Amino acid sequence: MSNYSLIRPGLTTAIVGHLPAIKSRLRKKVPQLTFQDVRRARIPFYEALASDLYEAGYVNAAYLILQLVEYEHDYVPPTSDQSIEDNRMKNSKRLLNFLYKSLRETEGYKIDQQNDNEIENLLKIGQSFEKDKHKRWIARQFFLISLDRCKDCCLEAGRVGALSNYHYGRLLIATGQLEEAVEVLETAKRSCVNQNWVLEQKKDIIGTSPLINGILQQLFIGYSKLSEKFRKSDLEKFELYMRLSHEVAVNSKLDHVLCDSYLNYGDFLLNQGVPREALNCYKESSKRAKSIHAVDKVCKTKIRMAAAHRRLNEPKECEHLLKSVDKLTVHDRSTECYAELKLLAGEINFESGRLQEASKDFETARCVYQNLKQEDKMIQASSFGALATERKGFAEFVNLVRQADFHGRLSDNEQLFKLLRWSTDRVPLW
């Protein structure tokens, strides 16, 4: 083959004008081609594999390769970067060999009516393409085929049906199709009621994780992302998805999921103006963080607990927690936890009138956020710092803050703008 014959993003050569002829030759049962024939005649490699599968009686597998090629040709454009295309070209033969072997095995299961094994094989093929964002469209095709086969074989309510929905839902989350993802995962969850199915069935391996755990973890991720998506645009949906994500986490009973969920739900309650309930959530998150030995999460929960005590006007508890976090971060002052610590300390010093200390805290937080490339939080710390130092031209900072898309937890927009509305001489800026 020529050096530039395989330049498509996923699998094969450009096939303009060739696909109908290839299909026609396959229908006429072209004799099996050797790899030497392929090289000498410069016939595309995929045609040889498809022909081989067809001649061996694996008709569905042969046509599936061609359908993938056709789909790619119609919907996946090549890039303009030749180095990327060259790298993809090198991978094409390996990928097609993998498909050849896997599809042959899969159709063998179909012929033998081992439908569960057939569907699991289809899912494994799809999984192998998930990590590469340029090839996720291939994964999607195989997950959809597995779902179709579940319907054909009346296995939708069984383990492989739930497993197919789990993998497809996970892919939808990865590609940002969140609403569809949670619907698919909810279907998978309903199938798992009163079942003890495992995520992977492997011989001689004991203790594989339950399928329901994987489903609930993905549902938590899906609902959490949906709540974040609607945080500013639709308060009702934001609250709905926040509560659903927490409900799923509680049902999962998984410490690493509960740790994140109680932290997020605590932030939600703190912003709702119920600091006591938020504090209880942070304490639950802290317990889970300690159980999974997540030091960064322990720090974060302590900072949030300090913020809740501050809202409750309990300065001693707040100060104790902040000192504890300072000790935990003493060996690394470049972390997000340390930046959050200094941001909260700056707010406390600012509100207490200690402007010089507040200015130092905000500047430290700004530098750390800048190094972490968290621009929204960096602008937030800069704005507080400008107010604390009575810097001129502060209105420019206000405009930056207005434009920033905040993801911070400690100083929500409402609290931030409440402070920023006033310049140092108590004159409203807008």
Side-chain angles (χ1 to χ4, degrees), residues 254-319:
L254 298 170
D255 282 342
H256 64 285
V257 175
L258 285 166
C259 177
D260 289 338
S261 184
Y262 274 117
L263 192 64
N264 294 340
Y265 202 65
D267 291 340
F268 169 69
L269 292 174
L270 192 64
N271 291 335
Q272 292 287 310
V274 282
R276 184 64 67 188
E277 289 84 346
L279 184 60
N280 292 333
C281 282
Y282 293 142
K283 287 178 179 178
E284 288 294 330
S285 179
S286 182
K287 289 179 185 176
R288 269 61 181 196
K290 290 174 182 176
S291 70
I292 60 176
H293 309 291
V295 178
D296 61 326
K297 296 287 176 65
V298 171
C299 286
K300 283 190 176 185
T301 53
K302 285 180 179 288
I303 294 170
R304 309 298 170 82
M305 287 164 68
H309 281 298
R310 171 187 168 214
R311 293 277 187 96
L312 291 165
N313 196 26
E314 297 171 349
K316 288 185 178 179
E317 290 84 349
C318 178
E319 184 179 357

Side-chain angles (χ1 to χ4, degrees), residues 170-206:
R170 190 174 67 171
L171 181 69
L172 289 170
I173 288 175
T175 55
Q177 297 163 274
L178 301 175
E179 286 88 349
E180 185 181 356
V182 294
E183 288 180 14
V184 168
L185 290 165
E186 286 287 358
T187 299
K189 186 180 77 170
R190 287 192 292 271
S191 299
C192 289
V193 174
N194 300 322
Q195 301 293 342
N196 294 316
W197 294 325
V198 294
L199 192 55
E200 291 183 89
Q201 287 185 333
K202 294 183 179 179
K203 294 179 180 179
D204 304 323
I205 295 181
I206 300 174

